[in-house]
């Protein structure tokens, strides 16, 4: 339809304005009235239709990852990894698969600035020959949680106060200080390396989740994927982000769109880390713990291919806002691991899409697979396909559906045990990787430890004293020097706020949940 409209505009005549059912309208801004100054008539279908559509043109924004941008492109295989997976889109060097990428903020709302300190989402949809394959991840290789029941309350603590609807630094740090397994992610987030990326083109994408690859011998391997930017990585300091917010709060969205529009196509190289089941059983960390990385010296990277984004959306709403990604959208050759958060998300993602977009969200063009779909599901609101025609909607002996065998080797996944209600406990092991990040990453880059302390102090100082003190102890378990430096700098910032009488939430004034003296 869009191409037809473009041809008409470029030719002798422009597209004709019509109602939503195709009836031509002479004056779209006029209304049926009794006389020139009289009341409106209900019989004016175009006017009523206009308002009914307008009143319903917003859909619920995503609870997380609400603010985002995206583009279309192609993934091309550059290395042979068929010994690990029978995924068809990876089965031949040089093979190309069309795809969609969406980049987003995790906790910010639709109107959040692109410079907001927040993890970034990195979601990919591959239109493979045998169906849809979605990869979902972030711009950091780890995450805040490893127990799935914590996710909703964690997100609540990062959003807005239920009474004031303001950002609440006390709630933010109150949650984090009580759940120290989040420390590794917090340190990356408040460093200059991951909290405020310089737009979307210069950030990397990771699966903090562990997946399974299955090969054509039905052997399986555990894997994590990493998309590394071929433009290099680039981030903003606190000061640079604040300046960019004043200049252009839509910087990331504009930068991506204009780069593609001028032919400067961004690209990323996909690498995977591969671990055998035998290695997983004796690995020094729980390989399914989202708060831990797999050190590259222990689990090397294997190149897979390159994705290139070369086409902007034609319509942002239909191409990006209605795009629905889920880690449950898998194909033969990739499967779910025992990662508990991943297992819950395979339910949660499609469930939120059905709430946001409807029961048949997979039929929306941007989400629709490029191959035939046959099963026993039918009907539902907004079913816009042929509804599988006359095919039986039950397992019929007269018109049976064929089956393919895709069962993996089960030797390493036999589970026997009693039902328990388990939450991982905090141990000294949880501070090993944050300590390495402080000493070996930030410590080797001039000024980065200082910037980290400054970034945390500016934010943490707006929390109430009891929460601040608890968080100092968390950082002290990472490294005594870090805890001491954070406490000193944060308390100095808190004192400044008290002296100036700043009435911004949690700057010198008592918090609503703080005990009375």
């Amino acid at each position: 339809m869009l191409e037809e409209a473009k041809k008409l505009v470029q030719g002798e005549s422009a597209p004709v304005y019509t109602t939503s059912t195709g009836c031509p309208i002479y004056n779209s801004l006029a209304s049926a009235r009794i006389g020139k100054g009289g009341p409106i008539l209900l019989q004016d279908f175009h006017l009523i239709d206009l308002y009914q559509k307008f009143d319903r043109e917003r859909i619920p924004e995503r609870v997380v990852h609400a603010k985002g941008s995206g583009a279309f492109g192609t993934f091309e295989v550059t290395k042979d990894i068929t010994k690990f997976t029978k995924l068809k889109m990876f089965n031949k060097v040089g093979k190309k698969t069309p795809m969609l990428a969406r980049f987003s903020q995790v906790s910010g709302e639709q109107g959040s600035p692109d410079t907001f300190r927040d993890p970034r989402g990195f979601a990919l949809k591959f239109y493979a020959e045998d169906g849809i394959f979605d990869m979902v991840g972030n711009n950091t290789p780890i995450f805040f949680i490893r127990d799935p029941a914590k996710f909703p309350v964690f997100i609540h603590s990062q959003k807005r106060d239920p009474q004031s609807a303001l950002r609440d630094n006390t709630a933010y740090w109150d949650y984090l200080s009580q759940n120290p397994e989040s420390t590794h992610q917090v340190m990356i987030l408040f460093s200059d390396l991951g909290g405020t990326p310089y737009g979307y083109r210069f950030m990397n994408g990771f699966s903090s989740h562990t997946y399974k690859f299955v090969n054509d011998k039905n052997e399986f391997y555990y894997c994590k994927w990493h998309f590394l930017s071929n433009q290099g990585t680039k981030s903003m300091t606190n000061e640079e982000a604040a300046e960019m917010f004043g200049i252009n709060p839509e910087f990331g969205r504009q930068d991506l769109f204009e780069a593609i529009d001028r032919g400067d196509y961004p690209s990323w190289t996909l690498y995977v880390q591969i671990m055998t089941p035998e290695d997983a059983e004796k690995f020094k960390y729980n390989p399914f713990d989202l708060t831990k990385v797999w050190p590259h010296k222990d689990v090397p990277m294997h190149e897979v291919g390159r994705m290139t984004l070369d086409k902007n959306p034609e319509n942002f709403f239909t191409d990006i806002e209605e795009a629905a990604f889920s880690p449950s959208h898998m194909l033969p050759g990739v499967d779910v691991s025992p990662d508990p958060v991943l297992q819950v998300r395979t339910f949660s993602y499609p469930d939120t899409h059905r709430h946001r977009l409807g029961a048949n969200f997979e039929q929306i063009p941007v989400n629709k697979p490029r191959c035939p779909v046959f099963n026993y599901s039918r009907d539902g609101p907004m079913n816009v396909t042929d509804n599988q025609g006359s095919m039986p909607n039950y397992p019929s002996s007269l018109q049976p559906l064929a089956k393919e065998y895709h069962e993996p080797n089960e030797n390493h996944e036999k589970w026997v045990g009693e039902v328990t209600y388990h939450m991982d406990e905090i141990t000294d092991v949880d501070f090993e990787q944050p300590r390495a990040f402080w000493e070996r990453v930030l410590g080797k880059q001039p000024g980065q430890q200082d910037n980290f302390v400054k970034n945390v102090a500016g934010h943490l100082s707006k929390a109430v004293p009891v929460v601040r003190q608890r968080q100092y102890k968390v950082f002290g378990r990472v490294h005594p020097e870090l805890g001491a430096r954070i406490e000193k700098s944060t308390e100095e910032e808190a004192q400044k706020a008290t002296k100036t009488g700043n009435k911004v939430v949690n700057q010198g004034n008592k918090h609503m949940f703080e005990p009375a003296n």
Side-chain angles (χ1 to χ4, degrees), residues 52-242:
Q52 288 179 325
K53 288 288 180 65
F54 177 73
D55 292 343
R56 293 164 175 81
E57 69 182 27
R58 290 291 173 266
I59 60 175
E61 71 173 39
R62 293 166 171 88
V63 176
V64 287
H65 299 278
K67 172 70 179 293
S69 301
F72 294 91
T74 303
F75 180 85
E76 180 176 3
V77 178
T78 55
K79 300 292 182 180
D80 183 1
I81 63 162
T82 53
K83 65 180 179 181
F84 300 126
T85 177
K86 60 185 175 183
L87 199 63
K88 284 186 178 180
M89 63 173 282
F90 292 164
N91 68 5
K92 182 181 178 182
V93 173
K95 188 166 189 175
K96 296 182 179 180
T97 301
M99 60 166 297
L100 167 69
R102 183 178 185 269
F103 311 106
S104 56
Q105 293 182 20
V106 171
S107 65
E109 306 97 348
Q110 277 275 24
S112 296
D114 291 349
T115 54
F116 188 64
R117 185 175 294 279
D118 200 20
R120 286 353 186 229
F122 198 101
L124 311 174
K125 184 179 295 292
F126 299 96
Y127 302 98
E129 61 188 281
D130 52 345
I132 293 292
F133 175 40
D134 286 347
M135 287 185 175
V136 298
N138 288 329
N139 69 322
T140 56
I142 37 82
F143 198 59
F144 296 90
I145 67 164
R146 59 191 175 201
D147 298 287
K150 290 187 177 183
F151 185 69
V153 292
F154 159 67
I155 292 298
H156 288 168
S157 74
Q158 308 298 291
K159 284 186 174 283
R160 294 181 178 272
D161 178 86
Q163 179 182 20
S164 67
L166 295 171
R167 295 274 178 183
D168 189 341
N169 293 41
T170 286
Y172 189 102
W173 289 101
D174 190 23
Y175 173 87
L176 296 176
S177 62
Q178 294 183 82
N179 296 274
E181 72 271 24
S182 63
T183 303
H184 195 181
Q185 173 70 301
V186 170
M187 291 188 68
I188 294 177
L189 179 63
F190 277 86
S191 74
D192 290 343
L193 306 181
T196 51
Y198 190 83
Y200 298 122
R201 294 185 296 138
F202 300 94
M203 73 181 198
N204 299 324
F206 305 92
S207 67
S208 50
H209 290 299
T210 298
Y211 292 83
K212 286 197 307 186
F213 271 166
V214 183
N215 65 17
D216 57 8
K217 297 178 182 178
N218 284 329
E219 301 165 333
F220 76 82
Y221 302 83
Y222 294 118
C223 68
K224 286 180 180 285
W225 54 263
H226 309 253
F227 279 88
L228 304 186
S229 170
N230 294 317
Q231 293 73 234
T233 56
K234 195 174 179 182
S235 294
M236 301 181 193
T237 64
N238 249 3
E239 294 74 18
E240 290 169 338

Side-chain angles (χ1 to χ4, degrees), residues 419-487:
V419 173
T420 63
Y421 288 86
H422 174 75
M423 185 182 74
D424 284 338
E425 299 298 324
I426 303 299
T427 69
D428 289 340
V429 172
D430 292 308
F431 299 94
E432 289 180 358
Q433 291 189 357
R435 187 176 304 117
F437 183 75
W438 170 253
E439 294 177 337
R440 302 175 197 169
V441 179
L442 298 182
K444 289 184 177 181
Q445 301 184 46
Q448 285 302 311
Q449 287 186 336
D450 294 338
N451 281 5
F452 174 76
V453 171
K454 180 177 64 175
N455 294 343
V456 171
H459 197 277
L460 181 56
S461 63
K462 300 177 181 65
V464 297
V466 65
V467 170
R468 299 201 300 264
Q469 293 297 326
R470 191 189 308 132
Q471 187 61 42
Y472 302 150
K473 293 177 182 178
V474 173
F475 284 128
R477 292 187 70 177
V478 174
H479 196 287
E481 177 199 13
L482 173 60
R485 288 183 61 179
I486 290 285
E487 180 172 8

Side-chain angles (χ1 to χ4, degrees), residues 332 374 376 394-396 399-407:
F374 294 105
Y376 305 122
Y394 70 99
S396 170
Q399 281 186 280
L401 295 178
K403 297 179 181 179
E404 289 188 17
Y405 179 75
H406 293 300
E407 295 300 320

Side-chain angles (χ1 to χ4, degrees), residues 300-312:
M301 306 257 277
H302 300 265
E303 182 180 332
V304 182
R306 173 182 289 215
M307 83 169 195
T308 303
L309 301 182
D310 58 7
K311 183 177 182 296
N312 279 316

Side-chain angles (χ1 to χ4, degrees), residues 278-306:
E278 294 82 5
D279 288 339
E281 291 175 1
K282 56 188 179 185
F283 195 54
K284 60 182 176 181
Y285 301 116
N286 176 358
F288 313 115
D289 181 349
L290 273 70
T291 67
K292 306 287 190 300
V293 297
W294 294 357
H296 291 179
K297 63 182 177 64
D298 299 325
V299 190
M301 306 257 277
H302 300 265
E303 182 180 332
V304 182
R306 173 182 289 215

